[in-house]
Amino acid sequence: MKNLETHICCDKTLQLVRKSLKVGSIDPVTKLLTPTSEGTPQGNISSPLIANILLNELDKKVEELKNTYEKGKKRAKNKAYDKLSSRIQNLRARSKNNRSINQEIRKLGLLRRSLPSYNPMDTEFKRLLYIRNADDFVILVIGSKHDAKLIKHRIADILNKKCGLELNATKTLITATKKGFKFLGAQCIKVSTIKAGLQKTQNGVPAKFRMKMRVEIPIQDLILKLKVNKYIKIDSKGRAKATAKKGLINLSHYEILKFFNHRIQGLINYYSFAANLASM
């Protein structure tokens, strides 16, 4: 309310918001009123809007943090990679179809592919990317683990002082992108550039793929959820099999098909961005 009062001068609007926060909720079975002591009442349609208004403070502070944290135009070159490149270039200059030299070039080429062309531990290059959806957010950091810990503590401090909120200790963690993490029901993981192989550029020179982060559907999690909600069962061979929804027995065929198609289409629409959509 303090946050809103700095931007809104209409008393009736502020009173309406204040009442919506304190109105509570009625249990549909017992008809008992449960008062709201903190936060927004469950199912209140204003909740996402209020979350965005409040967490706008976090957005602004993280933008300031990003500006002070980031430095360097690009990573320093990897000396070991450049040394191998120089060695390969020298061998190519005097190979002249020499089999042993060509074999050595291939070996050195494979070794070079296992190395990044830029120094991943360059302390003079740092980046920060912040993505938020309602009260869920992820911060991607190019930097040290120590940097990530400091940023986490800074975020906790901002939330506490500016928003009156606390980080969920069990859900807030620091992890490497190569191990992956879940965000908004999707699995986000950085694919290895080494395994991706080479591609030919316009001038015909082989170059490494520039791999982006892969965003996938956690299919096993979806199967587990369908099992818990009794849409499927797992047979003796570990395969998912559809089960009958006996609660639909009195519906027409059209209504039953509509029921399942609505849920199938909902999943497909939600995960339309995923790299493994065809697998689902």
Side-chain angles (χ1 to χ4, degrees):
M1 290 309 301
K2 284 179 184 176
N3 195 306
L4 288 176
E5 284 163 9
T6 61
H7 299 282
I8 300 170
C9 58
C10 175
D11 289 335
K12 287 185 177 180
T13 302
L14 293 169
Q15 189 181 25
L16 182 65
V17 176
R18 193 178 287 108
K19 283 182 175 180
S20 75
L21 290 170
K22 294 182 177 180
V23 70
S25 57
I26 295 175
D27 189 295
V29 178
T30 63
K31 306 298 180 186
L32 292 173
L33 174 66
T34 305
T36 304
S37 58
E38 61 180 5
T40 56
Q42 186 71 29
N44 190 321
I45 57 169
S46 65
S47 189
L49 176 62
I50 290 170
N52 278 333
I53 291 168
L54 187 61
L55 290 168
N56 183 52
E57 290 298 315
L58 176 65
D59 298 344
K60 289 191 291 185
K61 289 295 178 183
V62 172
E63 190 62 31
E64 290 174 14
L65 180 63
K66 174 185 167 74
N67 292 336
T68 56
Y69 175 76
E70 291 188 346
K71 64 176 180 176
K73 289 187 177 180
K74 62 180 182 180
R75 284 191 176 103
K77 288 189 175 182
N78 186 345
K79 290 180 180 179
Y81 184 94
D82 285 350
K83 192 175 179 180
L84 282 172
S85 296
S86 180
R87 173 71 177 151
I88 289 167
Q89 198 173 356
N90 289 335
L91 286 170
R92 279 179 181 157
R94 59 188 181 87
S95 64
K96 293 181 182 179
N97 298 323
N98 187 304
R99 190 174 177 181
S100 62
I101 292 177
N102 286 335
Q103 283 178 342
E104 189 179 352
I105 289 170
R106 275 193 290 272
K107 285 179 183 178
L108 291 172
L110 288 169
L111 181 60
R112 185 175 61 174
R113 277 182 59 189
S114 69
L115 299 172
S117 58
Y118 290 92
N119 180 10
M121 298 300 174
D122 182 11
T123 57
E124 296 304 308
F125 180 81
K126 293 183 179 183
R127 290 291 183 272
L128 186 151
L129 175 65
Y130 165 72
I131 305 162
R132 181 177 68 80
N133 181 280
D135 62 340
D136 285 322
F137 63 89
V138 62
I139 296 176
L140 300 171
V141 177
I142 291 176
S144 66
K145 190 171 183 179
H146 178 68
D147 290 339
K149 286 179 179 178
L150 288 176
I151 290 166
K152 182 182 172 182
H153 289 309
R154 180 77 181 113
I155 295 298
D157 190 53
I158 293 166
L159 283 170
N160 183 263
K161 290 179 180 176
K162 294 290 181 180
C163 308
L165 298 170
E166 288 183 12
L167 277 180
N168 187 321
T170 56
K171 292 183 179 179
T172 308
L173 52 94
I174 295 170
T175 186
T177 51
K178 63 183 178 183
K179 291 181 180 178
F181 60 91
K182 286 179 184 172
F183 184 56
L184 303 177
Q187 179 70 26
C188 309
I189 190 162
K190 188 177 180 184
V191 184
S192 172
T193 305
I194 298 159
K195 293 178 182 177
L198 301 173
Q199 64 175 347
K200 286 201 172 181
T201 57
Q202 288 181 343
N203 59 7
V205 179
K208 281 186 181 179
F209 278 115
R210 293 291 177 192
M211 295 302 293
K212 293 183 179 180
M213 179 164 280
R214 193 173 171 88
V215 185
E216 297 183 336
I217 306 163
I219 292 174
Q220 291 307 312
D221 289 357
L222 278 185
I223 289 171
L224 181 61
K225 194 172 182 180
L226 290 169
K227 184 185 173 186
V228 169
N229 292 326
K230 297 182 179 178
Y231 279 91
I232 61 167
K233 61 182 178 181
I234 307 300
D235 67 12
S236 57
K237 293 183 179 179
R239 295 174 299 189
K241 296 285 183 180
T243 57
K245 296 289 283 182
K246 294 179 181 178
L248 308 179
I249 198 165
N250 293 322
L251 300 180
S252 68
H253 285 182
Y254 171 78
E255 288 171 322
I256 293 168
L257 287 170
K258 190 178 178 182
F259 174 86
F260 284 108
N261 284 342
H262 177 72
R263 281 149 184 79
I264 291 166
Q265 198 59 48
L267 282 171
I268 291 169
N269 289 345
Y270 183 79
Y271 286 111
S272 59
F273 58 82
N276 60 339
L277 181 63
S279 299
M280 184 179 76

